[in-house]
Amino acid sequence: TTTGLILFFQSGRPLGAGVRLGLGLRMNRTKGDEEEYWNSSKFKAFTFDDEDDELSQLKESKRAVNSLRDFVDDDDDDDLERVSWSGEAVGSISWSIRETAGNSGSTHEGREQLKSRNSFSSYAQLPKPTSTYSLSSFFRGRTRPGSFQSLSDALSDTPAKSYAPELGRPKGEYRDYSNDWSPSDTVRRLRKGKVCSLERFRSLQDKLQLLEEAVSMHDGNVITAVLIFLKRTLSKDILFRELEVRQVALRHLIHFLKEIGDQKLLLDLFRFLDRTEELALSHYREHLNIQDPDKRKEFLKTCVGLPFSAEDSAHIQDHYTLLERQIIIEANDRHLESAGQTEIFRKHPRKASILNMPLVTTLFYSCFYHYTEAEGTFSSPVNLKKTFKIPDKQYVLTALAARAKLRAWNDVDALFTTKNWLGYTKKRAPIGFHRVVEILHKNNAPVQILQEYVNLVEDVDTKLNLATKFKCHDVVIDTYRDLKDRQQLLAYRSKVDKGSAEEEKIDALLSSSQIRWKN
């Protein structure tokens, strides 16, 4: 009953006898008062013109009171019930209705109750707030002297406890996080792309069974996912020992480590498996991460003595030697270019550094800037050809492209001129003169130069095709004359310009009585 309740202030001190007497008098209402109480109403009917929207305030108050119950409960005051000045329990629906009505000032009876609460003369000197807790201060951001802090302030003071309700997931979703899946079920779920925790597999036997199930499924993504879990939860020695007898999983792990660039673990794995050649190649691959040329050169020097195969050892040695030469050439050419005393660097400034370039690019660079240098210099093309055993075809092709780009036609001619033991000169091209003609035309060689090398093509059909394609008219006319093909010569006459020297030459050949035409 209400007569047994004890009214508390915010300080927690009980009220005096006068208040309890007043409460007792309030409970001893007459029958007429009771009927008036039950037949009366504090609220007016709803209208669309109601500016205060009391219905919304009531709903807000009800929701606030329901959510406030967990907030205002204290473990130490479970047996106590807080009441307001009107004798009603704080947090009840009637209390919240009275609060809303009192704050809006919409009823006369609310103001009369406030006056009656202020009629206790023995406590007139004390400040009397409307209630111990104010919904408006909690949920509307209004603070009044003597009232509690706002809800946001109260929550910020207790970071360890969250008062916001947690929305539950549908029951169907909890099946994805179940810990009761067997290794085979787990692997099947992983294959379908569903969320599945592997943490429940703690023993080595369970983890190996999970790996075997993944391998038997023949799904690389699932195998990799299980290997990542094993890599994180097992020591290196145990992991390597178990994978040594499981070659499929081992190959997946090696590929995964290469993809993520975990060179340290990859080297440890190759060392454990005694794969010396793969260990050396993995160590050599680290040079790609070194940007400084001098540091990369020193690192390559340490790779020379690693246990590579015979062919790979030669490549590693050539790589080290090439980078060493490139550093010397780069330093010297940078000095010559900055000095501005060399004609080739003035006419054709360098577009990029030669450092870390391939061997063919280095050879082209040497043929372009250092073609006439003596064989004893590091930058000489001939020196590069002998040092790195560059084939004749590769050397001629690269040198031709470099000298044709500079339009050094004398150097091009000398490149294909050879002498026999009797001293006779002869044109010879290891790459074939048809390739020579195409490269020369690509570099805008004059027609006279093109005709000279088109004539050196041995195959007649290839010669005619190239001569027609690049408009080497004299070569076409002379070839049809040698073939004694009058019809083809007549047909070609229509392709040359009228009144040109080529047309006159064709007419002279057609009217000649010394040629015995075959058609």
Side-chain angles (χ1 to χ4, degrees):
T1 60
T2 312
T3 56
L5 299 178
I6 301 175
L7 185 64
F8 276 76
F9 284 112
Q10 296 179 8
S11 62
R13 293 161 55 182
L15 294 176
V19 176
R20 287 199 288 270
L21 178 60
L23 292 175
L25 293 173
R26 183 178 182 86
M27 295 302 299
N28 297 329
R29 293 174 176 172
T30 63
K31 185 176 181 180
D33 294 337
E34 291 292 338
E35 292 180 355
E36 181 181 359
Y37 173 76
W38 291 109
N39 294 326
S40 62
S41 175
K42 300 177 184 180
F43 305 101
K44 55 187 178 181
F46 172 77
T47 61
F48 287 100
D49 298 331
D50 191 353
E51 297 179 353
D52 294 334
D53 197 2
E54 292 182 0
L55 181 60
S56 300
Q57 294 181 9
L58 290 176
K59 291 181 178 180
E60 178 184 358
S61 300
K62 184 176 180 180
R63 289 193 301 268
V65 170
N66 291 335
S67 62
L68 187 63
R69 187 171 300 137
D70 293 337
F71 176 76
V72 300
D73 283 348
D74 270 335
D75 295 339
D76 298 337
D77 298 334
D78 290 341
D79 297 331
L80 300 178
E81 182 177 0
R82 293 178 174 83
V83 297
S84 66
W85 284 92
S86 62
E88 297 167 342
V90 174
S92 64
I93 298 300
S94 60
W95 171 81
S96 63
I97 294 174
R98 189 182 304 278
E99 280 297 301
T100 305
N103 289 337
S104 62
S106 61
T107 62
H108 174 73
E109 189 174 346
R111 288 191 295 271
E112 292 295 325
Q113 289 179 1
L114 289 175
K115 293 179 181 180
S116 65
R117 284 198 291 265
N118 293 332
S119 63
F120 295 103
S121 58
S122 58
Y123 290 92
Q125 71 277 12
L126 296 176
K128 298 177 179 59
T130 305
S131 66
T132 307
Y133 301 98
S134 173
L135 286 177
S136 60
S137 64
F138 273 119
F139 296 98
R140 299 180 185 175
R142 302 174 185 173
T143 57
R144 294 178 298 182
S147 64
F148 280 145
Q149 55 187 347
S150 65
L151 182 60
S152 59
D153 297 335
L155 292 179
S156 63
D157 292 341
T158 56
K161 184 176 180 181
S162 176
Y163 299 95
E166 182 179 359
L167 298 178
R169 294 190 182 93
K171 292 183 178 180
E173 293 189 14
Y174 285 101
R175 292 197 297 269
D176 290 339
Y177 303 95
S178 174
N179 290 330
D180 298 332
W181 301 110
S182 64
S184 59
D185 292 336
T186 302
V187 169
R188 281 195 293 269
R189 292 177 64 80
L190 287 175
R191 187 179 185 183
K192 293 179 181 178
K194 293 186 178 181
V195 178
C196 193
S197 176
L198 304 180
E199 300 299 331
R200 65 175 298 270
F201 301 100
R202 297 185 178 180
S203 65
L204 178 61
Q205 182 179 0
D206 291 342
K207 293 177 181 178
L208 295 179
Q209 186 179 358
L210 181 66
L211 179 60
E212 291 173 356
E213 291 289 343
V215 172
S216 64
M217 196 67 67
H218 303 290
D219 191 313
N221 293 332
V222 177
I223 296 174
T224 303
V226 175
L227 286 173
I228 293 173
F229 170 67
L230 297 182
K231 172 178 171 289
R232 181 169 54 85
T233 57
L234 293 178
S235 63
K236 290 192 300 185
D237 295 337
I238 297 177
L239 179 63
F240 295 164
R241 185 188 68 224
E242 297 298 336
L243 291 181
E244 188 177 9
V245 296
R246 296 171 174 84
Q247 291 299 314
V248 175
L250 179 62
R251 288 195 296 270
H252 277 79
L253 180 62
I254 292 174
H255 179 74
F256 172 71
L257 294 177
K258 289 180 179 179
E259 288 294 322
I260 65 175
D262 193 347
Q263 289 295 120
K264 184 177 182 302
L265 186 60
L266 189 61
L267 292 175
D268 293 340
L269 177 58
F270 286 144
R271 194 175 292 110
F272 177 85
L273 299 174
D274 198 23
R275 296 186 180 181
T276 56
E277 186 174 347
E278 293 185 49
L279 175 65
L281 288 174
S282 298
H283 180 72
Y284 167 71
R285 194 176 291 111
E286 292 185 9
H287 82 276
L288 298 173
N289 300 325
I290 304 175
Q291 301 299 327
D292 184 76
D294 292 321
K295 292 182 179 179
R296 178 179 287 194
K297 184 189 74 172
E298 294 301 322
F299 179 81
L300 291 175
K301 188 176 182 180
T302 63
C303 296
V304 172
L306 293 178
F308 294 100
S309 63
E311 183 179 1
D312 290 339
S313 296
H315 289 319
I316 301 300
Q317 181 64 52
D318 288 344
H319 190 178
Y320 169 73
T321 305
L322 177 63
L323 182 58
E324 187 179 32
R325 295 257 183 126
Q326 288 175 345
I327 293 175
I328 297 174
I329 295 172
E330 177 67 21
N332 182 55
D333 289 357
R334 188 186 299 115
H335 174 72
L336 293 176
E337 187 176 24
S338 60
Q341 298 178 357
T342 307
E343 182 180 1
I344 185 66
F345 289 109
R346 290 199 308 269
K347 291 183 177 180
H348 305 280
R350 299 189 310 157
K351 297 181 179 180
S353 171
I354 195 61
L355 295 175
N356 299 318
M357 292 296 177
L359 177 60
V360 175
T361 306
T362 306
L363 178 61
F364 181 90
Y365 179 90
S366 296
C367 291
F368 194 91
Y369 289 105
H370 306 281
Y371 188 72
T372 58
E373 289 188 5
E375 183 179 342
T377 60
F378 284 140
S379 56
S380 169
V382 179
N383 189 304
L384 290 174
K385 178 178 181 293
K386 291 184 176 180
T387 301
F388 297 100
K389 300 178 182 179
I390 300 175
D392 288 341
K393 289 184 177 181
Q394 184 66 64
Y395 177 79
V396 170
L397 191 63
T398 306
L400 172 62
R403 303 317 293 173
K405 192 174 185 64
L406 289 172
R407 306 180 68 82
W409 309 123
N410 291 333
D411 293 339
V412 172
D413 184 72
L415 188 62
F416 301 108
T417 302
T418 59
K419 289 184 179 182
N420 59 13
W421 61 281
L422 294 176
Y424 294 103
T425 60
K426 184 181 179 181
K427 299 285 186 181
R428 190 178 70 87
I431 60 175
F433 282 107
H434 64 284
R435 297 281 306 276
V436 175
V437 172
E438 291 175 353
I439 294 174
L440 292 176
H441 179 265
K442 185 178 179 180
N443 288 277
N444 301 318
V447 177
Q448 294 79 7
I449 301 294
L450 287 177
Q451 289 185 154
E452 178 183 355
Y453 288 98
V454 169
N455 270 323
L456 295 174
V457 177
E458 295 181 358
D459 185 74
V460 176
D461 293 335
T462 304
K463 180 192 297 185
L464 285 173
N465 289 335
L466 290 174
T468 304
K469 179 180 179 181
F470 300 132
K471 297 182 179 181
C472 299
H473 300 303
D474 289 340
V475 176
V476 176
I477 295 171
D478 293 341
T479 303
Y480 286 142
R481 181 200 61 191
D482 295 339
L483 294 175
K484 299 179 181 181
D485 194 338
R486 181 184 178 89
Q487 298 300 324
Q488 291 292 340
L489 192 59
L490 283 172
Y492 192 75
R493 183 178 182 275
S494 61
K495 297 180 181 180
V496 300
D497 297 334
K498 291 184 178 181
S500 62
E502 289 79 10
E503 186 181 37
E504 294 178 359
K505 184 176 181 178
I506 293 174
D507 291 340
L509 291 174
L510 291 175
S511 60
S512 176
S513 59
Q514 299 180 357
I515 302 176
R516 300 180 61 180
W517 304 102
K518 67 179 183 179
N519 52 20

mmCIF file of all heavy atoms in Angstrom, residues 275-291:
data_model
loop_
_atom_site.group_PDB
_atom_site.id
_atom_site.type_symbol
_atom_site.label_atom_id
_atom_site.label_comp_id
_atom_site.label_asym_id
_atom_site.label_seq_id
_atom_site.Cartn_x
_atom_site.Cartn_y
_atom_site.Cartn_z
ATOM 1 N N ARG A 275 65.503 -27.739 -50.618
ATOM 2 C CA ARG A 275 65.417 -27.377 -52.035
ATOM 3 C C ARG A 275 66.369 -26.218 -52.280
ATOM 4 O O ARG A 275 65.986 -25.050 -52.267
ATOM 5 C CB ARG A 275 63.990 -26.989 -52.404
ATOM 6 C CG ARG A 275 62.984 -28.122 -52.264
ATOM 7 C CD ARG A 275 61.633 -27.689 -52.801
ATOM 8 N NE ARG A 275 60.628 -28.723 -52.692
ATOM 9 C CZ ARG A 275 59.373 -28.614 -53.110
ATOM 10 N NH1 ARG A 275 58.964 -27.470 -53.676
ATOM 11 N NH2 ARG A 275 58.519 -29.597 -52.975
ATOM 12 N N THR A 276 67.615 -26.543 -52.510
ATOM 13 C CA THR A 276 68.660 -25.516 -52.572
ATOM 14 C C THR A 276 68.493 -24.588 -53.773
ATOM 15 O O THR A 276 68.702 -23.380 -53.670
ATOM 16 C CB THR A 276 70.031 -26.192 -52.628
ATOM 17 O OG1 THR A 276 70.071 -27.099 -53.751
ATOM 18 C CG2 THR A 276 70.283 -26.988 -51.351
ATOM 19 N N GLU A 277 68.107 -25.158 -54.926
ATOM 20 C CA GLU A 277 67.992 -24.319 -56.113
ATOM 21 C C GLU A 277 66.837 -23.333 -55.987
ATOM 22 O O GLU A 277 66.972 -22.149 -56.323
ATOM 23 C CB GLU A 277 67.793 -25.199 -57.348
ATOM 24 C CG GLU A 277 67.810 -24.408 -58.646
ATOM 25 C CD GLU A 277 67.765 -25.316 -59.860
ATOM 26 O OE1 GLU A 277 67.961 -26.536 -59.695
ATOM 27 O OE2 GLU A 277 67.516 -24.804 -60.972
ATOM 28 N N GLU A 278 65.695 -23.818 -55.501
ATOM 29 C CA GLU A 278 64.563 -22.904 -55.293
ATOM 30 C C GLU A 278 64.882 -21.893 -54.204
ATOM 31 O O GLU A 278 64.435 -20.739 -54.262
ATOM 32 C CB GLU A 278 63.322 -23.714 -54.924
ATOM 33 C CG GLU A 278 62.814 -24.593 -56.051
ATOM 34 C CD GLU A 278 61.520 -25.278 -55.673
ATOM 35 O OE1 GLU A 278 60.611 -24.587 -55.181
ATOM 36 O OE2 GLU A 278 61.420 -26.505 -55.859
ATOM 37 N N LEU A 279 65.636 -22.308 -53.207
ATOM 38 C CA LEU A 279 66.075 -21.373 -52.166
ATOM 39 C C LEU A 279 66.934 -20.264 -52.758
ATOM 40 O O LEU A 279 66.763 -19.084 -52.436
ATOM 41 C CB LEU A 279 66.845 -22.134 -51.088
ATOM 42 C CG LEU A 279 67.485 -21.307 -49.972
ATOM 43 C CD1 LEU A 279 66.409 -20.624 -49.148
ATOM 44 C CD2 LEU A 279 68.352 -22.185 -49.079
ATOM 45 N N ALA A 280 67.847 -20.638 -53.654
ATOM 46 C CA ALA A 280 68.716 -19.641 -54.283
ATOM 47 C C ALA A 280 67.913 -18.687 -55.169
ATOM 48 O O ALA A 280 68.141 -17.471 -55.167
ATOM 49 C CB ALA A 280 69.793 -20.346 -55.101
ATOM 50 N N LEU A 281 66.953 -19.242 -55.928
ATOM 51 C CA LEU A 281 66.141 -18.391 -56.797
ATOM 52 C C LEU A 281 65.281 -17.424 -55.988
ATOM 53 O O LEU A 281 65.100 -16.265 -56.373
ATOM 54 C CB LEU A 281 65.254 -19.268 -57.689
ATOM 55 C CG LEU A 281 65.961 -20.024 -58.816
ATOM 56 C CD1 LEU A 281 64.990 -20.960 -59.518
ATOM 57 C CD2 LEU A 281 66.576 -19.060 -59.820
ATOM 58 N N SER A 282 64.749 -17.890 -54.864
ATOM 59 C CA SER A 282 63.955 -17.000 -54.010
ATOM 60 C C SER A 282 64.819 -15.898 -53.422
ATOM 61 O O SER A 282 64.391 -14.743 -53.315
ATOM 62 C CB SER A 282 63.294 -17.808 -52.895
ATOM 63 O OG SER A 282 62.400 -18.760 -53.436
ATOM 64 N N HIS A 283 66.033 -16.245 -53.062
ATOM 65 C CA HIS A 283 66.948 -15.225 -52.546
ATOM 66 C C HIS A 283 67.320 -14.226 -53.644
ATOM 67 O O HIS A 283 67.390 -13.012 -53.402
ATOM 68 C CB HIS A 283 68.207 -15.901 -51.999
ATOM 69 C CG HIS A 283 69.209 -14.939 -51.448
ATOM 70 N ND1 HIS A 283 69.025 -14.265 -50.261
ATOM 71 C CD2 HIS A 283 70.408 -14.513 -51.934
ATOM 72 C CE1 HIS A 283 70.053 -13.481 -50.028
ATOM 73 N NE2 HIS A 283 70.909 -13.605 -51.036
ATOM 74 N N TYR A 284 67.538 -14.724 -54.850
ATOM 75 C CA TYR A 284 67.888 -13.845 -55.970
ATOM 76 C C TYR A 284 66.745 -12.889 -56.311
ATOM 77 O O TYR A 284 66.966 -11.744 -56.692
ATOM 78 C CB TYR A 284 68.255 -14.696 -57.180
ATOM 79 C CG TYR A 284 68.340 -13.940 -58.482
ATOM 80 C CD1 TYR A 284 69.383 -13.049 -58.735
ATOM 81 C CD2 TYR A 284 67.378 -14.109 -59.468
ATOM 82 C CE1 TYR A 284 69.453 -12.350 -59.930
ATOM 83 C CE2 TYR A 284 67.439 -13.416 -60.663
ATOM 84 C CZ TYR A 284 68.478 -12.540 -60.890
ATOM 85 O OH TYR A 284 68.545 -11.848 -62.074
ATOM 86 N N ARG A 285 65.516 -13.365 -56.134
ATOM 87 C CA ARG A 285 64.359 -12.539 -56.478
ATOM 88 C C ARG A 285 64.252 -11.292 -55.598
ATOM 89 O O ARG A 285 63.594 -10.315 -55.956
ATOM 90 C CB ARG A 285 63.081 -13.380 -56.361
ATOM 91 C CG ARG A 285 61.866 -12.743 -57.008
ATOM 92 C CD ARG A 285 60.665 -13.664 -56.939
ATOM 93 N NE ARG A 285 60.829 -14.826 -57.800
ATOM 94 C CZ ARG A 285 60.994 -16.075 -57.352
ATOM 95 N NH1 ARG A 285 61.000 -16.322 -56.057
ATOM 96 N NH2 ARG A 285 61.139 -17.079 -58.192
ATOM 97 N N GLU A 286 64.907 -11.297 -54.477
ATOM 98 C CA GLU A 286 64.830 -10.143 -53.573
ATOM 99 C C GLU A 286 65.514 -8.912 -54.149
ATOM 100 O O GLU A 286 65.302 -7.806 -53.653
ATOM 101 C CB GLU A 286 65.450 -10.500 -52.224
ATOM 102 C CG GLU A 286 64.645 -11.531 -51.426
ATOM 103 C CD GLU A 286 65.237 -11.764 -50.049
ATOM 104 O OE1 GLU A 286 66.167 -10.999 -49.671
ATOM 105 O OE2 GLU A 286 64.798 -12.676 -49.356
ATOM 106 N N HIS A 287 66.343 -9.083 -55.183
ATOM 107 C CA HIS A 287 67.027 -7.918 -55.746
ATOM 108 C C HIS A 287 66.037 -6.939 -56.382
ATOM 109 O O HIS A 287 66.354 -5.763 -56.565
ATOM 110 C CB HIS A 287 68.054 -8.357 -56.787
ATOM 111 C CG HIS A 287 67.471 -8.622 -58.147
ATOM 112 N ND1 HIS A 287 66.899 -9.828 -58.496
ATOM 113 C CD2 HIS A 287 67.337 -7.837 -59.255
ATOM 114 C CE1 HIS A 287 66.462 -9.774 -59.738
ATOM 115 N NE2 HIS A 287 66.719 -8.579 -60.230
ATOM 116 N N LEU A 288 64.849 -7.422 -56.722
ATOM 117 C CA LEU A 288 63.847 -6.544 -57.330
ATOM 118 C C LEU A 288 63.378 -5.461 -56.371
ATOM 119 O O LEU A 288 62.894 -4.411 -56.798
ATOM 120 C CB LEU A 288 62.648 -7.375 -57.794
ATOM 121 C CG LEU A 288 62.939 -8.425 -58.880
ATOM 122 C CD1 LEU A 288 61.705 -9.286 -59.122
ATOM 123 C CD2 LEU A 288 63.390 -7.753 -60.164
ATOM 124 N N ASN A 289 63.537 -5.710 -55.076
ATOM 125 C CA ASN A 289 63.097 -4.731 -54.075
ATOM 126 C C ASN A 289 64.178 -3.706 -53.736
ATOM 127 O O ASN A 289 63.935 -2.824 -52.921
ATOM 128 C CB ASN A 289 62.672 -5.463 -52.801
ATOM 129 C CG ASN A 289 61.533 -6.437 -53.047
ATOM 130 O OD1 ASN A 289 60.657 -6.172 -53.863
ATOM 131 N ND2 ASN A 289 61.554 -7.564 -52.354
ATOM 132 N N ILE A 290 65.357 -3.832 -54.331
ATOM 133 C CA ILE A 290 66.471 -2.908 -54.053
ATOM 134 C C ILE A 290 66.540 -1.887 -55.176
ATOM 135 O O ILE A 290 66.741 -2.245 -56.343
ATOM 136 C CB ILE A 290 67.799 -3.683 -53.924
ATOM 137 C CG1 ILE A 290 67.685 -4.765 -52.846
ATOM 138 C CG2 ILE A 290 68.938 -2.736 -53.602
ATOM 139 C CD1 ILE A 290 68.908 -5.649 -52.738
ATOM 140 N N GLN A 291 66.372 -0.634 -54.856
ATOM 141 C CA GLN A 291 66.346 0.417 -55.869
ATOM 142 C C GLN A 291 67.718 1.030 -56.119
ATOM 143 O O GLN A 291 68.015 1.422 -57.245
ATOM 144 C CB GLN A 291 65.355 1.514 -55.451
ATOM 145 C CG GLN A 291 63.932 1.015 -55.256
ATOM 146 C CD GLN A 291 63.342 0.425 -56.515
ATOM 147 O OE1 GLN A 291 63.648 0.862 -57.629
ATOM 148 N NE2 GLN A 291 62.483 -0.580 -56.346
#
